[in-house]
Amino acid sequence: MSCPEPLDHVVTGSGPGLVLIHGTGADATSNWGPLIEATRDRYTVVAPNLPGAGATATDPAPIDLDELADRIVATARAAGLERFHLAGHSLGAVVATAVAARHPGAVTSLVLHAGWVRTTAREKFMFDLWARLLRTDRELLARQLILTAMGPGLLASLDDDGFAERAAGFTAMLDERILGQIELDARIDLRDAVGRVTAPTLVVASADDRILPPHHQRELADGIDGAEYLQVPGGHGLPFEDPARFFSIVTEYVDRRRAL
């Protein structure tokens, strides 16, 4: 059997391993940049780019979740990590769950934000809309994502220029290379995997998440033995709308597990 190919990735710092997996349409730096800078003094931080992000090539075949999980581990090992703390946002949380289920000996602790166990008809409908908009008008998709991914507090604070600036930023992130990620979003089913996760786990839900509402994260936490559940204010895009809050949650949990 051939070894899985590592993904393009950011690696920096020194100390115990910390692997960070980004969500759909983002990349390692846009999703995790401030956290990478904040933790590199005490962790070896590895942030892979999923297929279609960074310099990781797209694949004409549908992305296989198990193979992607194996590539995450191969990426960590290429950076010198045999064991690591693991955090994921959205699709990254799904991939992180698959990693922890398939490679329990590699994962020291697990933080999952805005993850889900199974894509239902509602989410399939939404992801199909994303794909259609991406193929026809990236700016329309960006506008739709701003209105659904950001929490009401942030949306209420934006003026005309603020909305325009956000729309430009989201539009710049989006291109058809991420269609494979969206297609993977539409067929997630971790029901057989969650029971195999043995790492200490924190599941984080955003109270105002309109993309993957908190009942998804509750289901995820219920499926992982001993998982902690934390619900905080904000929307699905918490790493972008309130990075200080989001990254403090991740670092506090990982630092606590490191100290045990």
Side-chain angles (χ1 to χ4, degrees):
M1 180 184 297
S2 61
C3 294
E5 180 182 0
L7 302 157
D8 173 53
H9 60 281
V10 173
V11 57
T12 188
S14 61
L18 173 60
V19 175
L20 308 170
I21 310 178
H22 66 80
T24 303
D27 60 24
T29 303
S30 64
N31 202 145
W32 299 108
L35 183 60
I36 293 170
E37 290 302 314
T39 56
R40 60 186 296 182
D41 63 330
R42 59 194 187 279
Y43 292 97
T44 299
V45 186
V46 177
N49 283 307
L50 299 180
T56 302
T58 57
D59 191 324
I63 299 171
D64 182 277
L65 181 58
D66 289 343
E67 290 179 3
L68 182 55
D70 294 346
R71 292 186 71 185
I72 296 290
V73 174
T75 304
R77 289 177 176 160
L81 303 179
E82 291 296 322
R83 285 180 56 80
F84 45 85
H85 302 276
L86 181 59
H89 160 67
S90 191
L91 175 59
V94 169
V95 177
T97 303
V99 171
R102 287 178 63 79
H103 301 275
V107 180
T108 306
S109 73
L110 189 60
V111 181
L112 308 172
H113 174 251
W116 70 103
V117 175
R118 181 176 63 91
T119 303
T120 68
R122 171 195 172 273
E123 289 82 46
K124 288 180 183 178
F125 188 84
M126 175 182 65
F127 294 136
D128 179 67
L129 174 62
W130 288 9
R132 291 174 186 233
L133 288 173
L134 182 56
R135 290 187 180 101
T136 56
D137 191 323
R138 289 186 301 142
E139 185 180 359
L140 285 183
L141 175 58
R143 288 170 174 255
Q144 196 266 350
L145 289 174
I146 290 167
L147 293 173
T148 56
M150 299 296 122
L154 175 66
L155 293 176
S157 73
L158 296 177
D159 58 13
D160 291 346
D161 290 340
F163 275 106
E165 181 180 349
R166 292 270 173 172
F170 271 60
T171 302
M173 287 172 54
L174 300 170
D175 65 55
E176 292 196 18
R177 295 180 69 228
I178 69 166
L179 283 169
Q181 297 176 27
I182 298 173
E183 191 275 336
L184 176 59
D185 288 330
R187 53 181 170 81
I188 295 303
D189 189 342
L190 292 173
R191 286 176 292 181
D192 291 336
V194 289
R196 300 197 304 273
V197 175
T198 58
T201 301
L202 173 65
V203 176
V204 183
S206 292
D208 303 302
D209 192 334
R210 284 173 287 181
I211 291 177
L212 289 154
H215 69 84
H216 284 285
Q217 291 85 59
R218 289 189 182 277
E219 181 183 10
L220 185 58
D222 289 345
I224 298 174
D225 187 39
E228 299 178 37
Y229 176 82
L230 175 66
Q231 184 167 301
V232 297
H236 185 83
L238 191 62
F240 305 94
E241 70 177 76
D242 193 350
R245 178 195 296 271
F246 177 66
F247 294 140
S248 70
I249 291 168
V250 176
T251 54
E252 287 173 10
Y253 185 78
V254 172
D255 287 344
R256 175 157 53 95
R257 299 310 310 182
R258 178 185 182 185
L260 294 178

